[in-house]
Every structure is written in structure tokens, then in C-alpha cells.
Amino acid sequence: MKLRLNLILLALLISISGFAQNKEIKWWSPSENSFDVINGQGWTNGLESPYDRLPAKAKGTVRDAVWNLSKHTAGLKIRFRSNASEIKVKYQVGGNLNMAHMPSTGVSGLDLYAKNADGEWLCCRGHYSFGDTVTYTFRNITPNDNYHKLGREYHLYLPLYNSVRWMEIGVADEALFEPIPLRNEKPIVVYGTSIAQGGCASRPGMAWTSILEREMDNPLINLAFSGNGRLEDEVTQLLSEIDAKVYILDCLPNLTLGEKYSENDIYQKVMNTVKALRAKSSAPILLVEHPAYGFESSNKAQKEGTDRLNAAQSKAFADLMTESYTNITVLTQKELNLDLNSFVDGVHPTDRGMEQYALAYEKKLREFLNEPKGKISTTIPVTQSREPASYNWEARHNKLLELNKTNPPKVCFFGNSITHYWGGIPEDPRKNGADSWNKYLGDLSVHNFGFGWDRVENVLWRIYHEELDGFQAGQIVFMLGTNNLHLNTDEEIIAGLKLVYEAVKNRQSHARVLILGIYPRRDNEERVAGLNLKITQLAGEMQLDYSNPGTVLLQENGKIDESLFSDGLHPNADGYNKLAQKIRKLLTQQ
């Protein structure tokens, strides 16, 4: 009887397991989506195949080797949002699955990263099978964060050294799955060699370009071609078509001195490439020295050769400066800080070497682009998605970038939900004080740069990602910091605000910067008052204007006037009306 019962239970478990395995899966093809979703491409139209890195017009113009390598999907990725606990991917590649010095997971594999609602990066473990069709299954995923049940943002990195013929992503039929459109910011554009293409990373997410992209959280276009990054005019002309945030030229490892190239050839190539890019774009240009691969004295001749290469580039850089070419800098061999343990084969980096590359690049670019970050949370720029049911954070950011181009504001009003849901443009369905906004601010060309749930570090990210670029504002207004009160000390909040204000001064040097004290909130009146004194001091040290209109929301005893609030934090229509009158006077007094 006991044996029979066990057999029945076993059969039941097998039945349940089989049901789970046959669960309905909905499949989605990125290349067939109604809007562009393949990130990392310099061209979204005129492609021979949907996952190419160069447009079809390049065929026959660039050398065949470059064209063939442009079929590799290095640097390409797909972004989507899902609350699935399991994500499947199936696809077919066009070449060999692996190489002697690089595993299948790097050559032909995928990588799945997630961002939680606070903008923190997470890596998903995948179970894979390589064959005619490659499959990846990412199981036991935490589908949601504590803020909501609308899932997380995912970044699926494509193979580094192979082409993709077709691809489908699958989740359970009942799971949420939303493709995310391409971002609007200008990309970092990399022109380089096999090292920049990704050799020999163990997986796509460990290529230095991928690491840099995540650390800078900026779109990146990888135009590296293994063995064929040679600063060629045909490729440079294609690069110049991309409206870049910065161009990185890391081609010296493919320009070895000898029978083919002399120091003068290298000099001329650097000069010609920079001048061709500068003829089309004012974007910053970063020249990168040969890393020398950590050679010791036994490879003295090779070390001397790399030194001569770097010297030729240094001469070109110096002459470009003499000719008044600006916004160019060099990442030196010393700054790359590589050693013998950084390489698989004395040339291509290990994952450790890739991290060293990325760290050196990030440090240099943050200095070059005026995007410093610190070590505490308020000084580390990040995105957020804490309230997707009410609004799409990234879509609002993109809308502001668009508005700044088509209808540049005279006044930029930064803040969190208190500002966001007041009124003004960009339009939002939720408005708690639109009448007072329209009455007192509507004629001043004020754009609402408030985002619900934003903390100091989120505003820092937005400023680093072009929200104050490309136009000249008259005034920049901030009411910021209340969403950090439960997480950070006053000193940490001040450190973050200082970076924010420095970022503004670097981008809008002629604008008046007006700092508003944090508005009072229930049960935090005393702390807010103390923090505002520190903000006053910071504003004075940085020669910025400061005012504290939030005092109109207080009673004589220092507590908030509940009749002016909806929830002890957000003003109601009457509260906004009182604030608006004060703020108008501040904006119109000169």
C-alpha cells in the first residue's frame, strides 16, 4: 500500500513538472518590433541585416575584412521591462561558436543584466546550450522590487565575435514584457581593435566597452574590428556621421611599426582622423596609447616599438594643439595601468584586464566630460523607476531633451514629485496646482524638470545626460533633497547637492542658479530647518542665490500647516498658490 501511494505521488509530481515545462511561452523578435530596439547601432536605417554595425552603403567602401567584422554584434544589446521569473532566449549565429583563446560564452554567448527600481545593476545567471540554435534560460529571477509589481529593466548583451541571424526572447504568457525604445542621448563612439571588440572577455557583459557603458550609464557604439582598427579614412567618414558624446580612438595595437607602417604614417593617420572628425563635429576626442601588454625586458624590442607608436601619436596630439584643435585629450599607457596578469595571451585582456581597461576609461572620461562621481550614494549618478504606474521616468527625460531642442526654456525648475505634479510642461495627467503654476509662472517660460521619487543622485544623472545641454537658460531653480532624508545624513545630502550645483555651473555658466530650501514636511520640520541652514552655507560658498519660500507652509509654532498639504509632504492647491506667489517674486527680481 505504501509503495503504491509513493508511486501515485511520484506520478503526480511528474505530471505537475510536465505541466510547468509546457507552460505557454510568448516569443518576441527584436528585429520585427514596430519601433527600434537594437541598442548600440550608429545607423538604424539602411542596414543589410538587422543586427549589423555598419550600414549597407559601407559595403564595398570599407575593406572586406572590416565589412565582415561589422556583422559581429559586439556592443549591441536589447532593453526590455519584464516581471517574469524566467526569461528564455533562442537564436542562431553565423560563424564558429568559439575560438582557441576565447570561450563560446564570449564569442557567441549572451549576457543578461537587470536594473532595479533604484538604478542598481544586477547580473542574471543563465543556463545555456550551444548548437545549431543557441538557447539561454535565466531562471529564479526576482521579478519585482519593493516599490511596485511592474518588473525590472533588462539589458541583453549580444555576442562579441559572431553575427546573429535571428533571435527571439520568451517569457510566460501571463508575464509583463515591454520592449524599451532607444535612448535619445548622444553615444560614446569607440573605434578600435580586437581588444575593444571584446577579445577575450568570458561573456559579452565583461567586455571593457560593456563595463564602461554600465558605469557611465550612457549609450555606446562599438565600432571595433578585430585586427582591422587602422584609423582608415573610409571608417572615419562613417564615424563622423554619428552625433557622438565623445569619440574614442583606440587603434594603435593594429598599427604595428615595421614594413607596413612608419612613425610618420601613424602621425599622419592620427592627424587625418582627428581633422576629419572635427570637420563634422565638435564632440570631444579621446586618443588612447598602446598599452604595451605589460611586456618585460625579454620583449624589449616590442616594448620599444610600442613606445615609438605612442611617441608618434603624442607628436600628432601636440601639433593638433598648436593648430588650435581643442577638446582632445590622451589616455596614456601609464593611466591604463595594465600588467602581465591582465592578458590571456599577452595581447587580449582577461576579465581582470577588461575591468582595468574600463576603470581607466571611466576615470579619464569623467574628468574629460566633467561628470565626476563620489563613493556615497548621493554622489553616484543613477536612474530610477520607483513609480512606473504613474509615469515613465526615462520617457519624461527623453521628452525634456526633445522640448529643450524645440522649445528651449528660460527657467529650468528641478525637483521631485512636489515640483513634478505641480503643473507646467512637460504635461502630466496628474496636476495638484496647475492653476497657480499657470497664473504665476506660466508667462516666464518655465519648464518643469521635476520627477516623482527623484533623489539627489537621480538629478545628478539627468544633468550628466544632457538635460542642460544645447541651450542657454536664464535661471536654474532647485528644490531638492527631501527624498534622501530617510536614507542619508545631512552631510551626505550636502555632498550630493554640491556635485549637482557644480554640474550646472559647468553646463550653464551664464545662468542664475537659485537654490530653494527644502519644503517642510510632517514630523521632519526640525531636521529640514537644520539641513536648510547647511544648504544656505553651501549656496554662499558656491556664490549661488538661496531662498526659503517653504516657510509660508509653516505655522507660528514651526509645524506644518496641515490645511496647505495633501499628505504632510505634498502641498495641495492652496499650498502651491502660496508658494507660487513667493517663487514668482524670486524669479522676476533682478
Side-chain angles (χ1 to χ4, degrees):
M1 184 68 181
K2 185 176 181 180
L3 176 61
R4 183 180 179 186
L5 181 59
N6 288 339
L7 289 173
I8 292 172
L9 289 172
L10 179 61
L12 181 60
L13 288 171
I14 292 172
S15 175
I16 293 172
S17 175
F19 176 78
Q21 289 176 3
N22 292 324
K23 199 174 190 179
E24 191 68 28
I25 299 292
K26 57 183 175 186
W27 293 95
W28 170 76
S29 170
S31 65
E32 297 174 3
N33 198 62
S34 59
F35 54 84
D36 295 324
V37 294
I38 302 174
N39 294 260
Q41 293 177 309
W43 301 264
T44 55
N45 297 312
L47 299 172
E48 184 177 83
S49 299
Y51 295 99
D52 286 355
R53 291 188 290 152
L54 289 180
K57 66 182 181 181
K59 190 175 184 178
T61 301
V62 301
R63 290 182 297 107
D64 289 346
V66 173
W67 173 252
N68 294 335
L69 286 163
S70 75
K71 297 287 184 179
H72 293 179
T73 54
L76 303 192
K77 69 176 182 180
I78 313 297
R79 293 194 304 147
F80 57 89
R81 177 173 291 280
S82 181
N83 62 3
S85 58
E86 181 173 292
I87 298 173
K88 295 177 176 288
V89 188
K90 57 185 179 181
Y91 59 104
Q92 191 174 59
V93 296
N96 295 328
L97 292 173
N98 56 24
M99 295 188 290
H101 61 330
M102 187 172 175
S104 299
T105 51
V107 173
S108 306
L110 302 175
D111 238 345
L112 185 65
Y113 282 74
K115 261 189 179 183
N116 68 16
D118 290 324
E120 298 169 336
W121 287 104
L122 309 165
C123 189
C124 304
R125 180 185 178 190
H127 298 269
Y128 44 81
S129 175
F130 288 91
D132 182 58
T133 296
V134 184
T135 62
Y136 269 73
T137 302
F138 301 91
R139 299 190 181 99
N140 301 317
I141 296 173
T142 302
N144 296 294
D145 299 317
N146 295 329
Y147 298 94
H148 52 79
K149 300 297 181 183
L150 298 177
R152 288 174 168 171
E153 176 183 334
Y154 290 91
H155 294 225
L156 184 70
Y157 290 89
L158 304 193
L160 295 170
Y161 266 80
N162 225 322
S163 61
V164 171
R165 292 177 175 172
W166 60 267
M167 170 177 287
E168 292 184 341
I169 302 171
V171 298
D173 190 53
E174 71 275 10
L176 177 147
F177 184 92
E178 296 178 347
I180 299 177
L182 304 182
R183 285 168 56 176
N184 286 354
E185 299 110 89
K186 296 179 181 181
I188 297 169
V189 179
V190 179
Y191 180 22
T193 69
S194 57
I195 298 170
Q197 183 170 335
C200 290
S202 63
R203 47 189 177 85
M206 286 307 298
W208 73 254
T209 50
S210 301
I211 299 171
L212 177 67
E213 179 197 40
R214 290 194 300 277
E215 292 301 315
M216 300 289 291
D217 203 2
N218 202 94
L220 185 146
I221 295 173
N222 187 332
L223 292 178
F225 308 105
S226 185
N228 289 275
R230 301 179 185 175
L231 297 180
E232 294 172 305
D233 294 342
E234 297 82 4
V235 178
T236 301
Q237 288 303 316
L238 290 166
L239 257 69
S240 70
E241 296 178 6
I242 303 171
D243 188 13
K245 177 174 184 171
V246 58
Y247 294 105
I248 295 176
L249 303 178
D250 190 356
C251 291
L252 293 193
N254 282 166
L255 296 171
T256 307
L257 295 174
E259 294 182 3
K260 195 166 188 179
Y261 301 109
S262 66
E263 281 102 324
N264 187 59
D265 292 329
I266 306 305
Y267 170 86
Q268 289 297 335
K269 278 181 171 289
V270 174
M271 295 290 286
N272 294 343
T273 302
V274 170
K275 289 183 176 182
L277 291 176
R278 190 55 82 236
K280 297 284 188 68
S281 171
S282 60
I285 298 173
L286 176 60
L287 304 173
V288 185
E289 290 191 347
H290 195 297
Y293 310 135
F295 288 130
E296 291 291 348
S297 56
S298 59
N299 290 295
K300 186 176 181 180
Q302 291 172 295
K303 178 66 166 63
E304 288 177 350
T306 61
D307 288 346
R308 288 162 56 206
L309 266 175
N310 291 336
Q313 179 171 265
S314 293
K315 183 178 184 301
F317 173 68
D319 287 352
L320 287 163
M321 295 296 99
T322 301
E323 295 180 29
S324 299
Y325 283 86
T326 59
N327 216 9
I328 307 170
T329 192
V330 178
L331 177 61
T332 67
Q333 181 186 114
K334 183 178 180 180
E335 289 171 319
L336 284 169
N337 195 33
L338 302 167
D339 54 51
L340 288 173
N341 296 319
S342 305
F343 300 95
V344 170
D345 52 6
V347 175
H348 300 94
T350 59
D351 285 354
R352 177 177 184 268
M354 289 293 185
E355 288 182 316
Q356 290 171 312
Y357 263 100
L359 180 63
Y361 269 103
E362 183 190 5
K363 182 179 180 181
K364 192 72 176 185
L365 286 175
R366 288 199 177 280
E367 294 171 355
F368 192 29
L369 302 175
N370 288 315
E371 295 184 9
K373 75 173 184 180
K375 295 183 178 180
I376 57 177
S377 63
T378 56
T379 63
I380 301 172
V382 292
T383 61
Q384 59 100 341
S385 59
R386 301 183 187 103
E387 201 176 4
S390 298
Y391 81 107
N392 184 311
W393 193 90
E394 184 174 313
R396 183 169 173 83
H397 168 67
N398 287 337
K399 182 63 176 176
L400 275 170
L401 298 186
E402 179 185 335
L403 272 174
N404 290 345
K405 292 178 181 177
T406 60
N407 180 24
K410 294 179 181 177
V411 181
C412 306
F413 200 144
F414 281 88
N416 42 54
S417 58
I418 298 172
T419 305
H420 182 175
Y421 299 124
W422 184 354
I425 58 173
E427 289 282 350
D428 194 279
R430 179 176 168 182
K431 301 182 185 71
N432 297 329
D435 289 345
S436 60
W437 180 287
N438 293 335
K439 180 179 179 179
Y440 292 104
L441 306 180
D443 64 334
L444 301 180
S445 186
V446 183
H447 284 189
N448 188 327
F449 284 67
F451 284 53
W453 282 87
D454 254 16
R455 299 173 186 157
V456 173
E457 56 267 31
N458 306 130
V459 174
L460 183 62
W461 186 97
R462 295 197 278 121
I463 294 172
Y464 284 176
H465 289 77
E466 302 181 23
E467 285 193 9
L468 289 178
D469 293 354
F471 68 101
Q472 181 61 62
Q475 301 187 75
I476 316 288
V477 185
F478 287 93
M479 200 293 291
L480 187 60
T482 195
N483 286 333
N484 291 87
L485 290 175
H486 67 297
L487 294 169
N488 300 105
T489 65
D490 289 1
E491 290 69 28
E492 289 172 338
I493 294 172
I494 293 297
L497 290 175
K498 184 177 181 181
L499 275 190
V500 168
Y501 303 155
E502 286 175 346
V504 174
K505 292 176 74 173
N506 283 329
R507 289 156 179 79
Q508 293 278 349
S509 59
H510 298 291
R512 175 199 182 201
V513 180
L514 171 61
I515 312 303
L516 303 182
I518 297 174
Y519 299 159
R521 54 188 295 176
R522 182 191 297 147
D523 299 328
N524 284 268
E525 293 93 341
E526 186 175 345
R527 184 181 175 193
V528 167
L531 178 56
N532 280 341
L533 288 176
K534 295 172 184 175
I535 295 175
T536 306
Q537 181 179 352
L538 176 64
E541 292 171 352
M542 299 186 69
Q543 297 183 321
L544 308 175
D545 290 343
Y546 174 86
S547 186
N548 191 13
T551 55
V552 301
L553 305 175
L554 290 171
Q555 303 178 83
E556 290 185 4
N557 64 4
K559 297 295 184 180
I560 66 168
D561 184 342
E562 295 283 356
S563 69
L564 301 176
F565 287 83
S566 61
D567 56 4
L569 171 63
H570 298 87
N572 57 24
D574 291 337
Y576 280 120
N577 190 62
K578 281 181 169 288
L579 287 168
Q581 296 176 59
K582 284 274 191 179
I583 292 172
R584 179 179 178 86
K585 290 181 180 178
L586 293 170
L587 295 180
T588 55
Q589 68 185 24
Q590 296 294 335

